[in-house]
Amino acid sequence: MGQLLQQEIFKFRHQRLAWLAPVILVLLQAGLAMTAHGTSVSDQKFYVSSAYGGFQWLTILIIVIGASCVTMEFEYGTIKQLAIQVNHRWTIFVGKYALVLGYSVLLHGVVILMTLLLKERGGRNFSWQNIYLYHQSLLANLVTNAALDMYGGVMIVGLVFLLASCSHNSAAAIAIGVGVCFVGEGVSSLLLQSFKSLLPVMKWNPFNMFFLQEEYGNPSYQQNVTHLTIQQLGVGNLVWALFFVGVGAVIFSRRRI
Amino acid sequence: MQRIQESMVRVVGLRKTFGRRTVLHDVNFEFSAGKIVGLVGPNGAGKTTIMKALLGLLATDAGNIRILSQPVSVTTHTVVTQQVGALIERPAIYPFLSGWQHLQLITNSVVQMKWVVQAFQMENYIHRPAKRYSLGMKQKLGIAMALVNRPRLVILDEPMNGLDPQSVKRLRHLIVQLARKGTTFLISSHILSELEKIIDTVILIDQGQVLLQRTMAQFQESARQSLMIRTMENARGLRVLLRADYPVVQRGSDLIVNKPVALTPLLHTLLDAHIQILKVNQYQEDLETVLLRLLAERKA
């Protein structure tokens, strides 16, 4: 497994997207920071705690990277070479999953660093120590948001890997991954509003789990949208992540090569 | 004392179906270490399927595969991970990596990498990204990746695809050299004229069945031989030879003897009849002709 992970890291660091992703993130955060400059202090605090939209952009980038990471092996025919090297093909899948999660952690670090820099340049009229949500400082809110986003990413990457394992090309996997992750929230809200009698069961649907980080930023979501506490969303995320990774690994292993 | 040859590959009763289509029917063959084995047959005969099964890439419905006496299946192929190098269908190449980086993925030994780069004369482009490689360059890299770890068994599926004549010659030379040092090769190729120059054993597959497994020596014995004679008087020459009970026919301006015969008495027969001989040629069926004949005979 260690050698497999080393190989994955070697391949990944030679891909352009690996180096381009942090640059894209930084530019997008800087762009949003410029537009946020003239807004009220309250809005500015929201932007800072959400890393100037960095977490959302990061999710899109991780979906793109995760989907192409799996499908490229089938597109290039390199899966055969990989499969010869291991006794169990699922280890390739898990290795890739670990790599993408690791990279997600790195990108979250970049996003936090960039937020610190942008806030120092543009948001000097309020302090990191100012109390924001949950009676916590702004800095604590930012770090908690980052942690929740990373945690939510565990399920999102699992879902993207599952979809990519069923797909024959990376473009389709990326499109479906982005679509599911961003439309999913809307679908979940719609389902919960439409089938109120099934709420006790329906609230555990995987799309509802995407609200984890948003519920932290908007506590009213618990009553109006998700009908689950942050802790429940956390458990749901983990359970669905295990399910997606498990099913994805089985599909990946059984796929004809 | 006779040295017992180690069995490299042993396949017993292999069967594989895709849906309702049976692609391998009770495939059996075996070969020992240090051999160069040619796996030949028409398109769709099952060559690549057999190779994939040998590498543990494909689950089979029945049968048993052993490499160096160790079992091989989709979930158990430790021997493949340690002792086998392969090029299956097309080279496994990431366009964003250079040839050198591909070799780095397989081995840590710079000595081995330099050896294989030199063997295939890839020095000029090995550090370029593989997306800029031609078909032949990719093919060479794919073969280099199969060989770089110096595995005991090398499985090559159509290795000559896209290679120029010089590279084909170099590959042939390298395969023979490595086989002398103990490496075993299982090679499938449609270019039988190239294959027959190096292989020790041929396994003929058709419609998922092994039709025959023979050494090249056995093959040469079964290959038909013929003698072509051109004389100043072919009509009289034909009569003279037929009178002497030679199995001869006239084809165009030549007399063809279709069975192996002693040359000197035949020539004496013609010379004794004062027939001037212009040309004598001896032909032996090559691998391609024998295999095509065998396949045609089977269909008939």
Side-chain angles (χ1 to χ4, degrees), chain B residues 124-185:
Chain B
N124 290 340
Y125 57 86
I126 195 69
H127 293 289
R128 265 193 245 159
K131 65 183 165 198
R132 289 197 226 142
Y133 285 14
S134 68
L135 180 67
M137 289 170 174
K138 284 181 186 166
Q139 190 72 3
K140 278 200 260 187
L141 178 59
I143 301 167
M145 286 162 70
L147 296 176
V148 69
N149 259 342
R150 296 294 286 270
R152 292 191 65 190
L153 171 65
V154 180
I155 296 177
L156 300 174
D157 189 8
E158 299 290 347
M160 280 103 175
N161 270 359
L163 295 188
D164 58 68
Q166 268 186 326
S167 303
V168 169
K169 193 178 171 189
R170 206 170 294 123
L171 174 62
R172 253 185 5 230
H173 182 68
L174 187 64
I175 288 173
V176 171
Q177 261 189 335
L178 290 172
R180 278 189 196 137
K181 289 177 187 167
T183 308
T184 311
F185 286 86

Side-chain angles (χ1 to χ4, degrees), chain A residues 3 6-8 10-12 14-16 72-89 96 253 255-257, chain B residues 18 21 52 55-58 74-78 80-81 84 86 88-97 101-102 104-106 131 145:
Chain A
Q3 197 197 345
Q6 272 184 350
Q7 274 193 5
E8 288 301 326
F10 181 86
K11 284 187 290 188
F12 186 64
H14 286 97
Q15 288 182 66
R16 201 179 296 165
M72 76 168 178
E73 304 294 354
F74 295 95
E75 271 184 51
Y76 302 148
T78 44
I79 185 66
K80 288 190 278 278
Q81 190 69 38
L82 285 176
I84 290 169
Q85 293 171 28
V86 294
N87 265 324
H88 302 285
R89 231 174 274 171
K96 285 180 178 291
S253 304
R255 199 164 151 177
R256 207 166 126 185
I257 56 176
Chain B
F18 289 121
R21 198 165 58 94
K52 281 184 177 175
L55 292 166
L57 293 176
L58 195 75
V74 171
T75 51
T76 316
H77 52 265
T78 311
V80 175
T81 66
V84 183
I88 294 291
E89 287 171 331
R90 62 187 166 122
I93 286 173
Y94 300 98
F96 51 84
L97 293 183
Q101 287 162 344
H102 277 91
Q104 280 181 304
L105 277 176
I106 299 183
K131 65 183 165 198
M145 286 162 70

Side-chain angles (χ1 to χ4, degrees), chain A residues 125-153:
Chain A
N125 44 352
F126 56 95
S127 149
W128 282 112
Q129 304 309 319
N130 280 173
I131 297 300
Y132 191 50
L133 298 177
Y134 301 97
H135 309 291
Q136 288 180 330
S137 69
L138 189 58
L139 184 63
N141 269 269
L142 172 69
V143 173
T144 312
N145 259 329
L148 287 174
D149 195 62
M150 266 189 277
Y151 185 77

